[in-house]
Amino acid sequence: MAKNKTTETESSVIDFINAVEDDKKKNDAFELLKIIQETTGIEPKMWGPSIIGFGSYHYKYDSGHEGDAPLAGFSPRKAATTVYFYLPEKEREELLPKLGKHTSSKACIYIKKLTDIDIEILKKIILLSIEYTQNLYSSK
């Protein structure tokens, strides 16, 4: 079975953010780092070369594939900052419209600027995502 590419590393979160070329995106990344760390109480770690993760959980799919992933995380990508989350459809439908200017996929929120979103809603999404993920995977 193939080894997961996205695993926790010893790389520096601060060095990674400092290497972000766009100053606005870099400042948003430092702000988001502070927001998520204060919200979760979890120290950030690098996951793979480009994801800043907080905490971890172990997953195992019915296919037999298993691994570890961060409970919460984000990455300051070139096109947009990606925030990773995992919520049931009901909570997604309730919270995402209140978040502000963003796009999303099943497990990602894409943000151009932090000033475009409601930080309190983002905090709620992160905490609910962590709670949901811990409940989902602690029973397996």
Side-chain angles (χ1 to χ4, degrees):
M1 190 167 295
K3 185 179 185 302
N4 291 339
K5 291 179 189 172
T6 307
T7 58
E8 190 175 313
T9 72
E10 294 299 317
S11 298
S12 167
V13 170
I14 301 302
D15 289 349
F16 170 69
I17 295 175
N18 277 326
V20 172
E21 291 179 11
D22 180 295
D23 285 340
K24 183 93 178 104
K25 198 168 294 299
K26 182 187 303 186
N27 291 337
D28 277 359
F30 277 119
E31 184 64 22
L32 194 53
L33 178 73
K34 181 177 144 193
I35 290 166
I36 297 175
Q37 189 170 359
E38 288 175 356
T39 300
T40 65
I42 302 171
E43 289 293 319
K45 299 279 187 174
M46 289 302 301
W47 284 74
S50 62
I51 295 174
I52 299 166
F54 300 80
S56 67
Y57 68 97
H58 187 79
Y59 62 87
K60 184 172 185 176
Y61 299 136
D62 293 338
S63 66
H65 177 78
E66 64 182 296
D68 297 304
L71 281 167
F74 76 96
S75 184
R77 309 247 184 224
K78 189 169 271 191
T81 296
T82 304
V83 177
Y84 302 95
F85 76 106
Y86 191 39
L87 288 178
E89 195 63 31
K90 180 179 180 252
E91 284 83 355
R92 287 174 56 85
E93 289 175 2
E94 176 190 331
L95 293 170
L96 289 180
K98 297 176 183 176
L99 182 59
K101 189 175 177 183
H102 75 284
T103 56
S104 63
S105 63
K106 187 172 182 171
C108 299
I109 298 168
Y110 306 100
I111 303 164
K112 297 278 187 187
K113 298 182 295 188
L114 275 185
T115 55
D116 287 343
I117 63 163
D118 183 326
I119 298 300
E120 294 306 313
I121 297 295
L122 181 64
K123 289 177 183 179
K124 187 178 242 184
I125 289 168
I126 290 166
L127 289 174
L128 285 171
S129 176
I130 289 172
E131 180 183 347
Y132 179 72
T133 302
Q134 286 175 323
N135 288 338
L136 183 66
Y137 288 99
S138 67
S139 62
K140 290 194 175 198

